[in-house]
Amino acid sequence: MRTTLGNLGIGIVLLGLAGGAGAQVTTENSASVLVFPRVIANGTRDTVIQITNTSNSVVFAHCFYVNGASRVADQPPSKGNPPLWTEVDFDLVLTKQQPTHWVVSQGRLVGATDPPCSAAPANYSCNGAGFDPGHIPPVVEYFTGELKCIEVDPSGAPLSGNHLKGEATLVSRNICLPAEGICLISGDPCDS
């Protein structure tokens, strides 16, 4: 009986130690893990992602999209039309205090002559403006899923630095309605 109680005591101590180091969810402070649970790029809606390095040194992040769209995009998920659950990985390198952004359907190419942007908040015309954090691939057509970014060290190992802050904005695209001859959101005439 003494051995059982001794093991139980050790188990309780270990459980108590493990419970002290818990992760906290925040939308206001920087963190080591960013989760964007609703990322959409389906032709009529798109997502603009913004990530910022809040530290005074270079920060590395490993990010990945998870596509949860159905195999047949215009049909609801079912046993015969399961989600894809495909993953696309990419890495970011952010200089001190650097923000970056991209439009999910367009991704972000690396270019030395990216123009500055004066629009606030960042939008479609600003995609690619500013210092490039690395190549960000565009998502596949009819993407519905999530984006996760994890702060890592230069070797790619996870790091608990709490230097990343992010926002995702779901936007409606101004789609032309040819039958009506006007754009869906603005009401402007369609370009020929």
Side-chain angles (χ1 to χ4, degrees):
M1 187 71 169
R2 185 173 184 174
T3 305
T4 305
L5 290 177
N7 289 342
L8 180 63
I10 291 172
I12 290 172
V13 169
L14 290 176
L15 196 63
L17 292 174
Q24 295 182 9
V25 176
T26 179
T27 59
E28 297 177 9
N29 298 320
S30 55
S32 294
V33 178
L34 299 178
V35 177
F36 303 96
R38 185 175 175 99
V39 177
I40 297 173
N42 64 9
T44 58
R45 294 185 297 168
D46 212 334
T47 308
V48 177
I49 302 289
Q50 300 172 69
I51 295 179
T52 302
N53 170 8
T54 62
S55 80
N56 287 321
S57 53
V58 174
V59 168
F60 301 89
H62 178 75
C63 299
F64 55 97
Y65 289 112
V66 178
N67 189 0
S70 301
R71 292 190 190 277
V72 181
D74 60 348
Q75 298 294 318
S78 65
K79 187 174 182 179
N81 190 27
L84 295 170
W85 300 125
T86 54
E87 184 179 314
V88 175
D89 297 62
F90 59 93
D91 294 308
L92 301 176
V93 179
L94 299 165
T95 60
K96 64 179 183 173
Q97 301 292 320
Q98 179 191 349
T100 193
H101 76 280
W102 67 93
V103 177
V104 170
S105 66
Q106 299 173 11
R108 185 177 175 122
L109 300 176
V110 175
T113 60
D114 291 335
C117 180
S118 60
N123 59 34
Y124 280 83
S125 62
C126 291
N127 197 38
F131 183 76
D132 289 317
H135 173 72
I136 301 170
V139 295
V140 296
E141 194 173 11
Y142 301 110
F143 181 90
T144 300
E146 62 186 16
L147 171 65
K148 296 179 182 179
C149 292
I150 301 165
E151 187 172 350
V152 296
D153 66 19
S155 73
L159 181 68
S160 62
N162 292 335
H163 299 122
L164 299 175
K165 189 166 182 177
E167 293 181 21
T169 306
L170 189 60
V171 295
S172 296
R173 297 189 56 192
N174 203 10
I175 305 299
C176 179
L177 302 172
E180 292 82 6
I182 60 169
C183 292
L184 180 65
I185 295 174
S186 67
D188 296 333
C190 291
D191 294 334
S192 314

